[in-house]
Amino acid sequence: MKQQAKNGAYYVGLMSGTSVDGIDAALIKITDQHPGEAKGLHAAKPQIELLAFANTPFPEHVRAQIFELFDPQQATIDKVGAMNVWLGELYSQATHSIMKQAGLSSEQIAAVGSHGQTIYHAPEPNWIDGFNLHYTVQIGEGAVIANRTGIPCVSDFRVADMAAGGQGAPLVPFTEYLLFAEQNETLLLQNIGGIGNVTVLPAGGNLGEVFAFDTGPGNMIIDALAAELFPPLTMDAGGRLAASGAIIPELLSWMQLDDYYAMPLPKSTGRERFGKQYTARIVEMMDQHKWQKHDVLATATYATAWSIADSYERFVLPRYKAQRMLIGGGGSYNETLVKHITELLAPHGIETLTQEDIGGSSDAKEAVAFALLAYYTMQRLPNNMPSVTGASKPVVMGKISWPSPY
Ligand SMILES: Nc1ncnc2c1ncn2[C@@H]1O[C@H](COP(=O)(O)OP(=O)(O)OP(=O)(O)O)[C@@H](O)[C@H]1O
Ligand SMILES: CC(=O)N[C@H]1[C@@H]2OC[C@@H](O2)[C@@H](O)[C@@H]1O[C@H](C)C(=O)O
């Protein structure tokens, strides 16, 4: 029997993002005085308390095998099937260790919300025989997590939004609205993970007015170039390598011409566009033109910052005047990237802060979000945002795997 938390419920959230740096696990307490009112307009906002957070890096051989699965030629069904179970086991271990950290047992946890690992994301319409066969694939078997932990597991969130015609991403804006929306101030919440994505919370706006989209690459190109040009690095820590390079105008122009930036909303993207092939093209140009490797990294860092500022100029600032932008995700630790973003946005009167600047955590936000999304799933309440994803209607996202009752 589940033991209810006093005045609330405990949920675990698990996230392993497009950077493939590891598993983020959060354990939260949710207190919701009026959960029923959340139906429809989500008028009642639950209170969240973060009790524990941990990041467990993937072992290097697991990371390498996940990267293989991003390439459809290498992602054979046997490898995908085995990794689906393997990740289920690793997510279960992460769940056990976060419970231990918080001093709670599985009987006390209402559910685990697990995002899984995205290995392919193809949100654009794909009409075949009258059916829209767009799809997204997240792996990390929920049945394994439920079985190993004895806790119900909610997983595979994105597909329900896609079944309703949406992009299946981004999903975190729903929880950002619940946790951060302000009456008097329009907020821009920029996540810089593998991919960059922004959530716009208009001052005093309701759920239907929130909009969000992927701005383009986050750390994805920077990480790939750091690994390619400066092995054995996997990232440009602090943005220090980029800080010592100069911008290459020709490369910058090429990067700015990617079709993604002008695509209308709703939109989302991933490694299919800014992954291995994209970086290989940059390295090819570098060899042809004899560019210096620090300069290439400096240019990719600037182009990433530019893609964020450019997205605001195209899609956000014509609709809303914003004063503050809050950066979260691992990119907030790249000082060169943050410096460029700050400088590009200053002329618009936007102040740039990181989650840490306001006492938050750049790392925990997405894991917390999946715990909160699971809370809605378990109550059979809608948790997608049609205004963000383009879905035709609100749906309850997430598939529930139950542990054995014996
Ligand atoms: N000290 C640091 N200096 C520079 N970059 C860093 C630092 N720490 C983390 N990062 C960057 O942040 C990335 C991880 O960010 P994060 O965990 O937010 O991404 P993610 O959740 O995997 O991605 P997404 O949000 O796209 O799913 C790393 O791959 C690295 O590029
Ligand atoms: C398909 C997929 O995994 N998309 C991720 C990715 O990483 C950032 C950005 O691209 C965002 O769209 C999304 O993740 C966050 C958690 C979201 O859904 O809000």
Side-chain angles (χ1 to χ4, degrees), residues 15 18 115 118 121 138 158 169-173 191 195 197 214 269 366 370:
M15 176 72 197
T18 52
H115 171 267
T118 296
H121 183 60
Q138 283 75 44
R158 300 188 191 277
L171 304 185
V172 172
N191 176 59
I195 290 296
N197 55 300
D214 289 354
T269 188
E366 291 185 342
F370 282 92

Side-chain angles (χ1 to χ4, degrees), residues 15 17-19 21 191 193-195 219 223 235-238 329-331 333 366:
M15 176 72 197
T18 52
S19 297
D21 54 340
N191 176 59
I195 290 296
N219 299 290
D223 282 358
M235 67 165 83
D236 178 13
Y333 305 121
E366 291 185 342

Side-chain angles (χ1 to χ4, degrees), residues 146-158:
N147 197 287
R148 299 291 178 272
T149 62
I151 307 170
C153 177
V154 185
S155 60
D156 220 1
F157 288 84
R158 300 188 191 277

